[in-house]
Amino acid sequence: MTSISKRKFDLDDYLKRRSATVDRALEGYLGKYPGASQTIFRAMRYGIFPGGKRIRPILMLASGELFGAAESRLLPFACAVEMIHAYSLIHDDLPGLDDDDLRRGEPAAHKVFGEGMALLAGDGLLAEAFHVISDTESTCAVSAELAVKIIRELSHSAGVMGLVGGQALDLEAEGQEVDLATVEMIHVRKTGALILASVRIGALVAGAAGEDLIRISHYGEYLGLAFQIADDILDAQGGIAVGERAESSHKERKKATYPSVVGIVTAKERLTELLRLLLSALDRYEMQAEPLRAMARYIVGRAVDIGGESLKKETHG
Ligand code: IPE
Ligand code: IPE
Ligand code: MG
Ligand code: MG
């Protein structure tokens, strides 16, 4: 059943449809400011439109739908997670952090709007995320109790135990010799936490609990780590995945990454192992989990050849 549905699942079409839906919903939140021509609004919009891959909101939709939530209930939360992601990228590119001039092949926000305005645009998106999901009108399908639980989960993933803490460790590790455990901790926090929160929040909106929540959390943890390893392999190879634009200008900096610590070959082996774990976390689910399986293959497959045969074995394993 799994291998048949795998062949039939059209990920390109799925990603296109889902990102268009997310974009429309984001437009609903970020297109309606009074005086939207003000620079700060333009800078916030610049950071989020035209979008990237919309991986996190799409993961949230896929996870929520696996456990039976309707798209309309998930969308406010999906938009919030993308706003947080967009803020993190605007700040990540600033001279005080990665000092990148390019983002998604275009000038980074601070190159267009200046550092001060880029800083504020990031702050604005972060605050807006929580504004959106605490709005009882747009999240009316979720109880106040669940809304608070989700806000707590999302703020934890964005905070010092998650994204911000990971970025701080990443900054401190620059130019230092670091071991693999440190690299993993950086990845799990700076990138993994928001991805984990995305799939968990989707499941929570759907009312998932117990073993379902444990399994989807395992999937989120593996995927968060896999995502950053894949991104770093692509960076290290100076390459970009097929069909994607160059992500950044790749200034020469010594970053703590999987490939820089263990080498490309071992990094790729680890990615392949993570794909096996990702697929086995979803073993229990049938066709409804196909979007999550396909997303895992896509994220890993951007950086590693996951060839048909070995994949089939993994899928059935
Ligand atoms: C890039 O994330 C930053 C990392 C966490 C590695 P994405 O690759 O999801 O960025 P966009 O939004 O698609 O450009
Ligand atoms: C980005 O990590 C992680 C966050 C923004 C939290 P990187 O710095 O490795 O990602 P890119 O290469 O700039 O997209
Ligand atoms: Mg960075
Ligand atoms: Mg960066």
Side-chain angles (χ1 to χ4, degrees):
M1 157 103 55
T2 309
S3 68
I4 293 168
S5 56
K6 170 168 74 73
R7 274 196 292 275
K8 285 200 172 144
F9 187 79
D10 184 345
L11 181 70
D12 279 352
D13 179 63
Y14 182 82
L15 293 176
K16 255 184 223 137
R17 281 189 295 107
R18 280 4 265 277
S19 62
T21 302
V22 170
D23 280 15
R24 267 195 306 278
L26 282 169
E27 194 59 63
Y29 292 119
L30 296 172
K32 63 181 181 194
Y33 292 110
S37 63
Q38 285 172 41
T39 313
I40 181 65
F41 298 128
R42 284 195 290 115
M44 285 165 68
R45 288 179 58 86
Y46 186 87
I48 207 162
F49 300 114
K53 299 176 287 297
R54 306 296 192 216
I55 296 288
R56 295 152 192 80
I58 295 174
L59 283 168
M60 193 186 290
L61 296 178
S63 165
E65 286 168 357
L66 168 61
F67 299 113
E71 181 187 90
S72 58
R73 294 182 68 206
L74 295 159
L75 273 173
F77 303 100
C79 288
V81 84
E82 188 66 9
M83 288 177 198
I84 294 176
H85 169 63
Y87 123 73
S88 80
L89 297 183
I90 296 174
H91 283 195
D92 181 70
D93 292 334
L94 285 167
L97 289 174
D98 288 356
D99 191 16
D100 252 320
D101 296 348
L102 284 179
R103 170 63 56 185
R104 300 167 179 152
E106 301 288 335
H110 66 274
K111 296 308 261 179
V112 178
F113 295 94
E115 282 173 39
M117 198 55 76
L119 195 67
L120 292 171
D123 294 339
L125 284 167
L126 175 60
E128 192 60 27
F130 290 99
H131 188 67
V132 164
I133 59 173
S134 55
D135 173 4
T136 48
E137 244 175 66
S138 66
T139 61
C140 57
V142 169
S143 70
E145 195 186 351
L146 183 54
V148 170
K149 190 171 176 179
I150 291 172
I151 288 168
R152 197 166 161 76
E153 185 112 9
L154 194 56
S155 54
H156 183 79
S157 77
V160 283
M161 296 310 291
L163 193 154
V164 165
Q167 288 286 68
L169 291 172
D170 183 275
L171 191 61
E172 283 178 331
E174 220 175 277
Q176 307 290 316
E177 289 302 318
V178 291
D179 59 15
L180 191 57
T182 306
V183 173
E184 270 204 22
M185 183 161 58
I186 294 172
H187 287 7
V188 162
R189 292 193 184 175
K190 79 169 182 174
T191 301
L194 201 57
I195 289 178
L196 173 61
S198 301
V199 295
R200 276 182 58 86
I201 291 169
L204 288 171
V205 170
E211 289 297 311
D212 282 331
L213 206 49
I214 292 171
R215 280 189 284 262
I216 203 68
S217 301
H218 284 147
Y219 171 91
E221 282 163 14
Y222 301 140
L223 193 67
L225 181 56
F227 192 92
Q228 187 65 46
I229 295 176
D231 197 77
D232 287 339
I233 290 173
L234 286 170
D235 266 0
Q237 292 180 158
I240 48 171
V242 179
E244 291 175 19
R245 285 172 292 173
E247 296 277 322
S248 71
S249 49
H250 303 302
K251 286 195 178 153
E252 280 305 310
R253 328 167 60 82
K254 193 171 177 306
K255 285 291 206 175
T257 70
Y258 238 85
S260 72
V261 171
V262 297
I264 292 255
V265 173
T266 308
K268 287 186 174 180
E269 283 166 6
R270 177 78 171 125
L271 253 191
T272 308
E273 165 67 5
L274 283 167
L275 179 59
R276 203 186 55 71
L277 293 168
L278 277 158
L279 296 175
S280 71
L282 300 174
D283 253 359
R284 155 110 191 31
Y285 309 103
E286 298 194 350
M287 281 189 56
Q288 346 61 294
E290 207 46 34
L292 290 176
R293 282 190 201 98
M295 300 273 294
R297 290 190 196 100
Y298 161 66
I299 284 162
V300 170
R302 291 172 70 215
V304 170
D305 180 6
I306 56 170
E309 278 315 298
S310 60
L311 191 58
K312 222 179 279 166
K313 245 187 282 151
E314 281 149 5
T315 306
H316 288 297

